[in-house]
Amino acid sequence: MFGNVMLATLLLALPVCLRFPFIGFLLYCWFDLAAPHVVFWNSLEFLPLAQLIGVATLAGVFVYWRGPRMINAFTVLLLMYVVWFTITYFQAFVPDAAHFKWDRSMKVFVPLAIMSMMLTTRARIELVMWMLVGVITASAIRGAALTLIWGGGGLVVIGPLGSFIEDRNVFATVMVMAIPLAIYLGAHSLHRPKAGIGRLIAIVVPLLILVAVVGTFSRGGLLALAAVGLTAVAFSRHKFVIAVTVVIAAVALIRFAPESWIERMGTTAEYKADASAMGRIKSWTFAVNLVREHPLGGGFAVFHLNHVEDAVGTEGYLDAHSWFFEILAEQGIPGIVLVLAIFLGALYRLYRVMRLSRASPELKWAGSLARTLFLAQCAMMSGGFFVGIGSYSFTYLVSMCAFSLYVIVRKPTAVAIGEPVESAEGDTAVPLASGGDAAPRRPRRDRRGRAVALEQAPGSRARA
C-alpha cells in the first residue's frame, strides 16, 4: 500500500519536472545518488523511475525552458569526455561488462552537462548543495545512531542499500564532502531557514556526519577529513582559530572513538601487512602496466581482467579502488587528462574567485561559497583516490558548481554593480549583488525612448 502511494506521488511529480526542468534535475540527481525507490520501496526496484524523471526533465528543457543557458568550460570538457569514453567503449577489452557501465555513465554525464547550462545563479548552485547535503544527512543520521548505540562493536556503517553510495568507503567520502557544504548552507545560504535553525544545521549536521564517518571504519574517510582540515587552515582568513578548532576536533575524535576504530586506522602506515591495502596497490600496478601497453585505455570494465584468487581458490577480479587509476586504465591518457582538467580547473577557478572576493566586499558571498566548494572538492579528490568513483554523479557535482560560480563572478559589469542584462524573453533582469535570481523588469526609458539602467552602484555615473 505504501509503495503504491509513493509511486502515485512520484508519477504526479512528472508534470512538475516537465514544467520546471531544474527541479527535475535535482530530483533525478537524488534518485541517481541515493536510489530511494530501492531503499524504501523494494517493490519499485525494477521500475525505471529515474529514467521517467530524466525523460520528463529533458523534455521540459526543450519545451518550457526559456531562461538563460550558460555553456561554460565544464560543459565542454564533460561532453568531450562523453565522446571519448564512447569511442573507447567500441574498443573495450571486455565488451559485455563495458556496455552496462557505458549505459550507466551516459545516464550520469549527459544530464549533468545539460544541468550545468542551467546553473546560472547563486540560488541554483545552493539548491544543488542542499540536495546533496539533504541526501547525505538523511543517511548519516542513521549511521551516527548505529555508531553511538553499538560503539564500534563489530557493526560497520554503510550507505543506503542498493544505491551508488552503499559501499562504506564511498559513503565516508561523500559524507566528508557534505561537511563544509552543511556549514556554509546553515550560515550563509539564501535558502536557509531562520537564524537559529540555520546555526543548528551548521553545528549538528557536521557532528552527526563526523560520527557516521567513524562508524564506516574507512581509512579513505580519515584521509579526506585530514585533507579538509589542512585545506581549511591554509585558506582561512582566521588561521589560528581554524587550526585550534581542527586540533580540538582531532583530539576529541581520538579520545571518544572506539578502540577498534583506532586499531583500524593504525594499519594505514603498515600497509604491507594489510591485505586490503596490498590489493589496492596490485590494482594500481595493473592500471599503470595496462596504460604503458595501451595508452588509449582498455574501455569500461577493463579491471575485470585483473584476475585474483582468494584463499579457497575462487577466481575473481580486483576493482580499481581509485578514481584516478579507474579512469587511467579505462579511458587511457586522453580520458584522465580531460577529467583532471575538470577537477584541477575547478580548484583553480575557486581559487580565483577567492582572490577576486578579497578586492570586492560585494563579492564576499562568492568568497565564502568558493572556499566551501574548494574544501568539498579536496575531500572528493583525496578520499576518492582510494575508491572507484570515476563514473558517479556526485564526483562531478562540486566541479560543476565551481565552474558556474566562476562564470557568474566573472561576468562583465559583474553581478556586483547590478546593471541590467537582457534576458531571452526581451525583459531586463537585474543581477543581485548576492548572486541570487532577480525578477525580470521592463527597462526604464528616457524622454528619447532610450533604455536606462534600473539600478546603479553607489558613486557610479549615469550613462547617457
Side-chain angles (χ1 to χ4, degrees), residues 173-258:
T173 298
V174 74
M175 281 195 293
V176 177
M177 287 175 59
I179 290 177
L181 301 182
I183 295 174
Y184 170 86
L185 293 174
H188 305 292
S189 173
L190 294 173
H191 309 285
R192 71 182 184 274
K194 295 181 179 179
I197 300 177
R199 285 193 294 269
L200 192 66
I201 292 174
I203 296 173
V204 175
V205 170
L207 289 177
L208 289 173
I209 291 176
L210 187 61
V211 174
V213 170
V214 172
T216 63
F217 286 78
S218 171
R219 290 170 295 191
L222 177 64
L223 292 174
L225 284 172
V228 169
L230 293 175
T231 307
V233 173
F235 286 93
S236 175
R237 295 181 180 180
H238 310 284
K239 297 184 186 300
F240 178 76
V241 175
I242 298 298
V244 171
T245 303
V246 170
V247 170
I248 293 175
V251 171
L253 183 64
I254 296 173
R255 173 66 179 82
F256 295 104

Side-chain angles (χ1 to χ4, degrees), residues 409-429:
V409 171
R410 292 288 294 176
K411 281 181 180 178
T413 61
V415 178
I417 68 173
E419 291 191 0
V421 177
E422 193 74 3
S423 72
E425 298 176 345
D427 294 337
T428 299

Side-chain angles (χ1 to χ4, degrees), residues 269-289:
E270 302 172 357
Y271 65 92
K272 291 184 179 180
D274 185 79
S276 176
M278 294 307 296
R280 281 178 166 81
I281 294 176
K282 183 178 179 180
S283 291
W284 300 347
T285 304
F286 169 82
V288 172
N289 292 336

